[in-house]
Amino acid sequence: MTPAGRARSWANSPVALLRLDADGCILEANDTFLAWVAADAADPSPARLDVRGRRLSDLLTVGGRIYWETHMAPILALQGRVDEVAVELRSAGDPLPVLLSAVARTGAPEPVVDVALFAARERARFERDLVAAREAAESAAARLRWVHEATAELSGAAGVQEVTDALVRAVERHTAVASAELVAGDDAAEGDAPYVVVPVAGSRQSYGALVVTPHGRPGDPPVDPDALATIARQGGVALDRARLHEQSVSVAQELQHAMLTPTLPRRADLEVQAEYRPAVSGLEVGGDWYDAFALDGTTVAVAVGDVVGHGLRAATEMGQLRTATQALAAPGLGPGATLGLVDQFVRRRGVGLAATLVYAELDTTTGVLTYACAGHLPPLLVRHDGHVSYLWEGRSAPLGVPALRGPRPEGVAQLAPGDVVLLYTDGVVERRDRPLRAGLDQLARVAARRETVDEGELLAHFFDAQANQRDDACLLHVTWHGSPSAAASASPGAATVAGATVAGATVAGAPQLSRTDV
């Protein structure tokens, strides 16, 4: 190519070309560069514009100028080149995004720097769009995560108050939210403060409005109104569910309480007291029940049972099982045979499958207690002097569960005047964080302090140290005061159980159980 052709190629190149001296001042610039910066001059003609002698950094925007001085110039001095650095060229309108590449020429008599600038307006627009798309995707992901966490929080709440608390907690998790509150509709009007108010409504009623107060701190993202509205709708659905659930629980509780014996036997030779303590975690009603009734003039029957499950169904089955037990019991039949008839009822009707039941009959003239346990925990015998022992005989499978053929076995214990027999459900002794034996030991220790048994407030003492009772607890006290003839003949130190002697002992106030295979 001739020198003239090279000159034309230099002048008309689609790339802006410059040559700088060692101080960064422009020695030469082609027409493309002059056209790009001409709009900043009074005469925009490239031929009339002279940029020689000006520093290239002066023709860049502030960010580019600083970057030239702090990064590009030192790199050129050390490494001899820089490639595709994004800077902006000043112009009368919007700054022109360019990619700058430069090479230091040290072989010439005077060191020079050749610079090429590539217009990158479309690339800059693409990068801005890419950043905007990324920010939109991150915002959508954060919104979805917020809604998902709120839904999970609401799904774990049962009652209306629990759902309300969960809704407030879920909203307050947002970085920009300072506080949130669910208020009645009349109190939710917006005031001067920058509140965000979102209605919370179920399918048939309004629950008020969610009043959200943003932090208002610099740099905080705005509270997403769409996400907040979605969470409020989820809250309305959860409140509908909680309200219906509480209504069902109320019905089950009323049914359960109506089925429990309101008046227990209390006479000169016998006293029966009941303690019932509902679970404090959750709203489900359990299937625990108790009963006490006279079979004839001298025999009183007592029973404590536990139906599998919770809720209205368990309460209904509990009532059927209690009624069947009382209807099938008869004088002279005995506990084992009575449980056999109840078991037939369960199998025939399909009600109360795998339920447990302890049923006992006390002869009030002699103090002889005959009992049978269908999968139930053993009765606890508390002597008038504080000795305790569990009655482990007369055990068989839960109701409706296939077992070996033959009648259900019975156990027998001889009571002395002042002795107490405790019948109870698993909610009294079972905990998830300890073995069953530890619960039985604790019940025996508490019962050995006779004043708690005599007052009929054993559960109140027993659960003082319990942080979270997860199941209903039912306990029946049966106290035999005895008759003159029985008091003269009964032995207070031991209980005869199915032909074996089971003695309890109290050591430093802590009873030792008669069986270790709990």
Side-chain angles (χ1 to χ4, degrees):
M1 182 179 292
T2 63
R6 284 196 294 272
R8 284 195 300 273
S9 297
W10 161 273
N12 300 323
S13 172
V15 177
L17 301 174
L18 304 92
R19 177 160 289 174
L20 313 179
D21 63 16
D23 295 327
C25 296
I26 300 175
L27 298 174
E28 297 179 72
N30 70 352
D31 291 348
T32 302
F33 180 80
L34 296 177
W36 287 354
V37 299
D40 196 27
D43 186 350
S45 172
R48 305 292 295 269
L49 181 65
D50 191 359
V51 294
R52 288 177 297 181
R54 297 183 65 177
R55 293 181 179 275
L56 173 60
S57 59
D58 292 340
L59 299 176
L60 302 177
T61 57
V62 174
R65 184 184 312 165
I66 294 174
Y67 197 76
W68 173 273
E69 295 170 351
T70 59
H71 289 75
M72 287 186 284
I75 291 174
L76 278 171
L78 294 174
Q79 300 181 4
R81 67 180 299 140
V82 293
D83 294 294
E84 296 184 348
V85 178
V87 293
E88 290 182 324
L89 196 63
R90 286 169 47 195
S91 65
D94 294 332
L96 175 65
V98 296
L99 295 178
L100 184 153
S101 296
V103 177
R105 308 291 185 185
T106 58
E110 294 291 335
V112 294
V113 177
D114 289 333
V115 178
L117 301 175
F118 300 84
R121 192 184 301 276
E122 292 303 319
R123 174 171 173 168
R125 184 179 296 112
F126 170 76
E127 290 178 347
R128 286 195 299 270
D129 292 345
L130 185 63
V131 170
R134 182 183 298 113
E135 291 176 349
E138 291 174 351
S139 176
R143 178 169 61 249
L144 183 62
R145 184 167 54 252
W146 188 24
V147 173
H148 176 75
E149 291 175 353
T151 303
E153 185 90 27
L154 291 169
S155 65
V160 170
Q161 187 57 50
E162 289 184 32
V163 170
T164 301
D165 294 342
L167 178 60
V168 170
R169 283 196 306 270
V171 172
E172 289 180 343
R173 281 203 181 97
H174 194 279
T175 306
V177 174
S179 64
E181 183 181 8
L182 182 62
V183 300
D186 295 340
D187 300 328
E190 294 193 46
D192 297 332
Y195 298 131
V196 179
V197 180
V198 182
V200 179
S203 59
R204 295 184 178 181
Q205 74 174 85
S206 172
Y207 294 100
L210 194 60
V211 180
V212 179
T213 305
H215 279 296
R217 299 170 302 198
D220 273 348
V223 178
D224 191 318
D226 294 334
L228 194 58
T230 300
I231 293 173
R233 286 194 296 272
Q234 294 288 342
V237 172
L239 285 167
D240 277 347
R241 169 179 53 78
R243 188 165 168 267
L244 180 61
H245 181 63
E246 287 189 351
Q247 290 174 349
S248 299
V249 169
S250 177
V251 171
Q253 287 176 337
E254 290 295 329
L255 178 61
Q256 184 183 44
H257 294 161
M259 291 177 179
L260 297 178
T261 305
T263 304
L264 296 170
R266 183 187 293 266
R267 57 198 206 189
D269 57 355
L270 178 72
E271 183 178 0
V272 180
Q273 295 175 281
E275 294 186 59
Y276 188 88
R277 187 183 179 102
V280 297
S281 63
L283 293 171
E284 292 287 357
V285 176
D288 295 9
W289 62 276
Y290 62 86
D291 199 3
F293 52 92
L295 286 177
D296 54 32
T298 61
T299 306
V300 173
V302 291
V304 168
D306 190 357
V307 174
V308 176
H310 295 82
L312 189 58
R313 179 177 178 180
T316 303
E317 292 189 354
M318 174 200 75
Q320 292 177 285
L321 200 58
R322 174 183 171 275
T323 301
T325 302
Q326 188 172 138
L328 294 171
L333 188 61
T338 301
L339 288 189
L341 294 177
V342 175
D343 183 75
Q344 292 178 22
F345 169 82
V346 169
R347 292 170 182 265
R348 185 172 61 253
R349 301 292 298 273
V351 172
L353 291 171
T356 65
L357 172 61
V358 54
Y359 173 80
E361 296 177 359
L362 176 63
D363 187 332
T364 58
T365 60
T366 64
V368 174
L369 179 78
T370 310
Y371 62 93
C373 297
H376 206 84
L377 292 164
L380 178 61
L381 174 59
V382 184
R383 294 295 185 183
H384 68 281
D385 60 0
H387 286 71
V388 296
S389 58
Y390 282 100
L391 306 180
W392 284 98
E393 304 302 325
R395 303 194 61 77
S396 57
L399 299 175
V401 176
L404 296 176
R405 293 183 178 180
R408 289 181 179 259
E410 299 178 351
V412 180
Q414 175 63 60
L415 304 188
D419 289 349
V420 178
V421 176
L422 300 179
L423 310 181
Y424 53 93
T425 58
D426 56 3
V428 176
V429 294
E430 286 188 354
R431 299 289 180 275
R432 294 185 179 183
D433 57 350
R434 72 181 185 191
L436 175 59
R437 175 56 192 252
L440 292 172
D441 288 345
Q442 184 184 8
L443 176 60
R445 285 194 299 270
V446 175
R449 301 196 295 268
R450 279 299 302 262
E451 66 275 7
T452 63
V453 177
D454 296 338
E455 293 168 2
E457 298 178 351
L458 189 146
L459 288 186
H461 291 79
F462 189 66
F463 284 101
D464 280 347
Q466 300 302 325
N468 188 16
Q469 180 191 338
R470 304 182 64 90
D471 198 4
D472 291 356
C474 175
L475 191 147
L476 202 64
H477 306 239
V478 182
T479 305
W480 184 58
H481 298 299
S483 61
S485 59
S489 60
S491 171
T496 302
V497 183
T501 298
V502 181
T506 303
V507 180
Q512 303 297 316
L513 300 185
S514 59
R515 285 283 295 267
T516 59
D517 55 341
V518 177

